[in-house]
Amino acid sequence: MKSHLQPFIQYLTEDKGLSSSTLESYGRDISQFLEFAAGRGISSPDEIRRTHLLQYLAELRGAGRAAATVNRSTVSLRAFFHYLLKNRQISQDPTLEMDKIKPSKKPPMILSIGEVERLLAAPDETGPQGIRDKAMLELLYATGIRVSELISLDVGDVQTGLKYARCSSASGKERIIPIGTIAADSVARYTDGMRDKLLRSSREEPALFLNSLGGRLTRQGFWKIIKKYAREADIEQDITPHTLRHSFAAHLLEGGADLRSVQQMLGHADISTTQVYSGIARKNMKEVYESHHPRA
């Protein structure tokens, strides 16, 4: 049955223009289900019924998978069987009327200001890679941009003299974000001499942040970098690049920034997405009040 998977991924690539990470998720979700089905003696997608899908999703839940993971698998399977039906490779769509699981929303992980300072101080700035890492971490915390937006930056997208960064979301929508003096100075120090040491002389590369081979740094590369510095900074939480985005928003609101401005800097289409940080900020202010006010 896996012979149907590659044409489907090709269809998503050419007709839907999905990102490589989304394509990987679709491929992984569907491949795992097809292995499940094959283990039950099913040799053709047309033999698959709604009960098989429900059994598979129940197995995922029984294995402790998060509701968001089960929902993502459901979305992947719906798209796959819709594609097969559209191309007349099955006679009926077994995913019809399948319900989504309502995910339990966890509050975003926020670092304290002290933890952020330790993380930003972790890189060894005696060499080009450490100076690059310092610039990336400072810029991520200064702007709240996503890691995908960070690694997509080209040299001209960060104007250190004017103190702004220009980035584009996955949907192609561009936004301009102010950056502070410390982040601007860190990026300038990297671009003024250290970037050339990472760039291979024989190649032209527009990317701002380069890997050790002189090419654009990848998401996976940055994940390894931030995990390394989290360990060195003795941060016990299992942080991700998004943790700095969450912390950026919460710390701005704690400092008195208005919600609409934070929404614009984060690039949220709906202000309700930004409001979750407002609740965290109010909670933290209450803790500060109770810890420091003499009559709290």
Side-chain angles (χ1 to χ4, degrees):
M1 287 191 294
K2 285 196 173 182
S3 61
H4 296 277
L5 179 55
Q6 189 54 43
F8 171 64
I9 297 298
Q10 191 69 26
Y11 158 75
L12 293 179
T13 305
E14 295 176 355
D15 288 32
K16 301 296 183 181
L18 301 180
S19 68
S20 58
S21 59
T22 302
L23 291 172
E24 286 174 13
S25 295
Y26 272 103
R28 183 171 56 251
D29 293 339
I30 296 163
S31 181
Q32 289 173 355
F33 170 74
L34 293 178
E35 288 176 7
F36 165 88
R40 280 149 183 78
I42 298 171
S43 58
S44 168
D46 207 31
E47 299 174 29
I48 294 170
R49 299 291 179 265
R50 185 169 178 267
T51 52
H52 298 128
L53 294 166
L54 294 176
Q55 288 170 6
Y56 173 69
L57 296 175
E59 274 202 10
L60 291 182
R61 291 192 292 272
R65 300 294 178 85
T69 301
V70 178
N71 280 335
R72 191 199 64 209
S73 295
T74 305
V75 170
S76 299
L77 291 168
R78 277 188 177 135
F80 180 58
F81 284 104
H82 179 74
Y83 163 81
L84 294 179
L85 184 66
K86 180 181 176 182
N87 287 274
R88 300 182 180 179
Q89 295 173 21
I90 57 175
S91 57
Q92 59 180 344
D93 184 350
T95 66
L96 292 177
E97 299 180 4
M98 283 178 58
D99 296 327
K100 274 191 171 184
I101 303 169
K102 188 174 181 181
S104 55
K105 289 188 176 180
K106 293 182 180 179
M109 184 187 298
I110 306 297
L111 296 178
S112 69
I113 292 175
E115 287 173 326
V116 170
E117 289 175 347
R118 294 205 309 272
L119 180 68
L120 300 183
D124 178 3
E125 297 181 68
T126 58
Q129 290 189 1
I131 292 172
R132 175 204 63 191
D133 296 347
K134 169 74 169 176
M136 288 192 297
L137 292 172
E138 288 284 0
L139 189 61
L140 204 62
Y141 180 60
T143 59
I145 60 177
R146 303 171 181 89
V147 64
S148 58
E149 295 169 336
L150 178 77
I151 63 171
S152 296
L153 291 172
D154 289 336
V155 173
D157 290 333
V158 180
Q159 297 295 321
T160 56
L162 299 174
K163 296 182 183 176
Y164 78 81
R166 178 181 62 237
C167 72
S168 298
S169 65
S171 63
K173 189 173 182 181
E174 185 179 276
R175 67 188 191 279
I176 305 294
I177 309 168
I179 59 176
T181 300
I182 295 175
D185 288 348
S186 292
V187 174
R189 185 181 178 199
Y190 164 68
T191 55
D192 287 348
M194 296 300 108
R195 182 180 178 276
D196 286 345
K197 293 184 178 181
L198 294 173
L199 183 66
R200 296 292 179 91
S201 58
S202 60
R203 62 185 298 176
E204 294 182 5
E205 175 56 65
L208 175 59
F209 294 115
L210 306 176
N211 58 30
S212 57
L213 299 176
R216 188 180 295 274
L217 192 74
T218 64
R219 286 170 58 92
Q220 293 84 355
F222 186 77
W223 270 68
K224 291 178 182 177
I225 288 169
I226 197 168
K227 295 286 188 183
K228 169 192 170 187
Y229 290 127
R231 290 192 300 270
E232 293 180 4
D234 293 325
I235 295 173
E236 296 180 0
Q237 301 180 74
D238 185 20
I239 72 169
T240 71
H242 228 62
T243 306
L244 279 178
R245 177 172 166 86
H246 296 323
S247 303
F248 160 85
H251 294 168
L252 274 179
L253 290 168
E254 283 178 29
D258 67 279
L259 197 62
R260 185 69 66 182
S261 295
V262 176
Q263 177 200 4
Q264 291 172 348
M265 285 184 274
L266 291 172
H268 286 159
D270 191 334
I271 199 167
S272 63
T273 310
T274 318
Q275 283 174 330
V276 64
Y277 301 113
S278 183
I280 293 170
R282 283 196 297 271
K283 178 183 176 183
N284 289 347
M285 282 190 276
K286 184 175 184 292
E287 291 174 353
V288 169
Y289 177 86
E290 290 176 347
S291 298
H292 296 87
H293 196 283
R295 294 188 180 274

